[in-house]
Structure formats: structure tokens, C-alpha cells
Amino acid sequence: MIELTELRKEFAGVTALDGITLSVAEGEIHGIVGRSGAGKSTLIRCLTGLERSTSGSASIDGVDITALSGARLRESRRSIGMVFQHANLLDSRTALENVEHPLQVAGMKRAERRSRALELLDLVGLTDRADNHPAQLSGGQQQRVGIARALASEPKILLCDEPTSALDTQTTGQILGLIASLRDRLGITVLIITHEMSVVREICDAATLLENGAVTQTGSLSAILADPGSPLAKDLVPLPHVPHDPDRFTLEVALAGTPLTTVFDLAARAGAPIASVESGTLETIGGSQVGRLRITCTDLRTRDDLETALRSGGIHVEAAA
Ligand SMILES: Nc1ncnc2c1ncn2[C@@H]1O[C@H](COP(=O)(O)OP(=O)(O)OP(=O)(O)O)[C@@H](O)[C@H]1O
Ligand SMILES: [Mg+2]
């Protein structure tokens, strides 16, 4: 659905995108994560044609946006709905009128756009707030109106730039739930820009890590988690730090689908019983149980045997940081 090939964007002296190659399948919820300044917003702006890329291509449904201009660019933009950190609603208009606004601009007749806007408000669960002004709505409700407005042109793609960064944890969960249900009901493709790993964990099917304008990792969540040493996997399943004890040795093990009991069994069979699990997390992401643990043993001589045994059992092992 979305194909970026060697996409570059340079501003006077600054390389914001350093050759991005990335593909997003139809109906997928794809997270783009990266630190501030990594190039996330620039990527979205190039994809919508708001910013002209320096080179490379960005195609949607096989049409290269970077080659379009004028009316054809405007038309292709209609296949993309945009959601931002702040909904930026028009204060003087009601929720309903805000959703109607893009339809009005597009020249739709009053009765038709009104009924369409009501349907959209219903879709985001805000029918009872249709006549409220933005000042009467919570941040989460305003964001719902923003999402309804983004869906007005019946886009095939929803681009969300930090849609939950201004919201509390509970409201974030509700908005992410809404985005996931819209994908399920409408079949739209969602590209969600975020610096929050919890967003990826909660709704993404696939994710891309952007660093200094370049892709350092991209793939389905299951592929990412099956590579437990990878930067995204470590961020998705972080391990709390514990102080180092020189009389013991500590290993970090990552599990992607292997039960925890297997770790203990393998260690016992290798003659290196585990003294303690110092810290760790085990959770279900994308339907499979994954985790990272810091395990400690007291007999330093057993270290190599333990590492070999765990690796032979398909468990990712590395020295504790
Ligand atoms: N119009 C511009 N002119 C010059 N440099 C720019 C412009 N827009 C972005 N940049 C630079 O490009 C780089 C990427 O910026 P971008 O806004 O895409 O980052 P981001 O990942 O969205 O960051 P954040 O998480 O803070 O929103 C930064 O170094 C930024 O300073
Ligand atoms: Mg940004």
C-alpha cells in the first residue's frame, strides 16, 4: 500500500531523511518510532507531498507522490487522512461542524455533509457530543473529533503523527483502541508516528525504527520479537537495571515464544542451576509470549556450559550490561 524507496530529504545542510526504504501492507498498523529529530515528521510530510523530497520515491497504491503536482497531488492527498498530536479544531464551530468542515471545503451539499458527519461522529463514539464546542470537550474527545474529521474524505490511509502524546495513559488506551477498531471496520492502513514503545506494543502489526534519518530496523512485530537482541526488541521488552555482583555471573536471556520453565530445565541439565532471576519482564505482544530476564548463577565455572545449553535451546543469551 505504501512503498518508500531510497527517500531522501535535505534541508540547507541538514539531512533529515537519509535514503528511507520501507513498505507498509494494506490494512496494516505500522509504527514509526525514533527519537526527536530522527525524521519522523519529515517522513510523513514527504508522504503527503507537503514537503518535496530531494530524491527517491514515495508511492501509495502504486502512484509515486513525489512525481505529482497540482490537481493530481491534491487528489492523491484525499486518499490520506491526517491526525496530529493536537486536534486543532475550530473553536467557533461545534464538533459536528468541525467534522463537516473538510466536506464543505470539498463542495458537498449541506444535508449530505451533515448526515455524513453524523455517521463519522457515531463511528468515533461521540454522537452525544455533536453540538458541543471544542472547549466543552476533553482532550481525548477532541482527538476523536479530529479522527472523525480525518476520515471525512474516506481515506485509504490514516497517518497519525504522535496522536496520543498529549493524552494520559487511560485516554491513550482508548484512542489506540479506536484506531485499531477503525482499521478492523474500515480496512484502512494506518501509519502511526510515535516515540512511545507502549503504542507499538498495544496496536502495531509492524514497526520501523528510525535513527538519524535512516531505517535501522523494520518488520512485523513477530519478526522483531523473534530477534531478541535487536534494538526494537530490547525497547519493546526492556529490562530494569540491577547492580552488578562480582561473585556471581549474570546473563540476559530473551525469550520469544519459549516458556520460562525451559530456561530452568536447560540450566539444570547443564549443571549450572540458576540461583536467582534478578529482574525481568514477560508479556504477550502480538499474540506470543516474549520476555527478557536477567538470571544469576553462583558458580563462575559453569558459565560457558550454561550459555551453550541455552543457545542450543533457541534462547537468545548475552552478557548482562
Ligand atoms: N523545515 C526545516 N528546515 C530545516 N531543517 C528541518 C526542517 N524540518 C525538519 N528539519 C530537521 O530535520 C530533522 C528531522 O526533523 P523531524 O521534525 O522530521 O523529526 P521528528 O523525528 O519528527 O522529531 P520529533 O520527535 O521532535 O517530532 C531535524 O534535524 C530537524 O531539525
Ligand atoms: Mg515530529
Side-chain angles (χ1 to χ4, degrees):
M1 171 56 93
I2 303 174
E3 293 285 345
L4 307 183
T5 311
E6 286 297 320
L7 194 69
R8 288 185 72 80
K9 176 64 188 176
E10 281 161 30
F11 295 105
V14 180
T15 303
L17 299 179
D18 195 5
I20 303 283
T21 297
L22 174 64
S23 85
V24 179
E26 187 171 354
E28 179 173 285
I29 300 183
H30 194 110
I32 306 267
V33 293
R35 288 173 203 270
S36 181
K40 306 181 297 295
S41 296
T42 307
L43 181 74
I44 276 204
R45 293 173 64 81
C46 288
L47 192 54
T48 54
L50 283 172
E51 201 81 74
R52 275 248 165 259
S53 50
T54 308
S55 62
S57 68
S59 63
I60 292 177
D61 250 352
V63 178
D64 186 1
I65 298 288
T66 62
L68 302 179
S69 61
R72 293 200 52 211
L73 180 59
R74 282 194 296 279
E75 186 195 331
S76 119
R77 264 191 206 140
R78 273 208 299 279
S79 66
I80 301 175
M82 298 280 299
V83 176
F84 299 96
Q85 183 172 356
H86 297 284
N88 292 322
L89 304 176
L90 298 166
D91 291 331
S92 60
R93 301 194 185 204
T94 64
L96 184 67
E97 288 163 353
N98 267 282
V99 179
E100 269 184 66
H101 188 243
L103 299 172
Q104 186 178 6
V105 171
M108 190 183 276
K109 293 227 168 57
R110 189 185 150 88
E112 192 183 351
R113 66 173 194 249
R114 182 131 295 201
S115 84
R116 174 92 187 109
L118 277 169
E119 274 173 35
L120 289 161
L121 278 182
D122 183 41
L123 200 60
V124 300
L126 271 189
T127 306
D128 56 338
R129 296 296 191 140
D131 295 328
N132 281 178
H133 283 81
Q136 299 167 297
L137 302 172
S138 70
Q141 288 165 338
Q142 290 183 26
Q143 197 57 298
R144 283 172 189 270
V145 177
I147 292 171
R149 181 185 55 189
L151 295 172
S153 61
E154 299 185 60
K156 287 183 240 157
I157 297 172
L158 198 60
L159 295 185
C160 310
D161 193 352
E162 302 277 2
T164 58
S165 298
L167 305 174
D168 61 47
T169 317
Q170 195 185 351
T171 314
T172 292
Q174 289 165 358
I175 294 294
L176 294 178
L178 172 64
I179 292 173
S181 84
L182 290 172
R183 184 277 304 271
D184 295 343
R185 283 186 279 171
L186 307 175
I188 49 173
T189 306
V190 181
L191 197 61
I192 187 163
I193 304 276
T194 182
H195 63 270
E196 299 168 297
M197 277 296 162
S198 55
V199 170
V200 176
R201 219 178 279 143
E202 228 163 287
I203 61 163
C204 291
D205 307 305
T208 295
L209 175 63
L210 218 56
E211 284 179 299
N212 298 320
V215 171
T216 43
Q217 200 183 358
T218 186
S220 68
L221 230 54
S222 50
I224 287 166
L225 294 168
D227 180 11
S230 71
L232 265 176
K234 285 184 177 186
D235 282 346
L236 280 166
V237 194
L239 198 53
H241 186 73
V242 288
H244 181 64
D245 179 346
D247 295 331
R248 300 163 154 235
F249 73 90
T250 302
L251 297 176
E252 278 185 22
V253 299
L255 308 173
T258 314
L260 179 57
T261 50
T262 306
V263 174
F264 284 88
D265 290 348
L266 289 169
R269 264 188 267 150
I274 294 166
S276 68
V277 176
E278 303 276 346
S279 62
T281 49
L282 271 179
E283 55 186 309
T284 304
I285 303 178
S288 72
Q289 237 215 339
V290 294
R292 297 179 69 77
L293 306 167
R294 191 173 274 130
I295 56 171
T296 291
C297 301
T298 46
D299 187 349
L300 289 162
R301 290 166 304 176
T302 62
R303 177 172 184 144
D304 288 346
D305 290 343
L306 177 59
E307 284 195 33
T308 307
L310 292 175
R311 289 209 176 94
S312 71
I315 291 162
H316 182 91
V317 185
E318 57 192 271

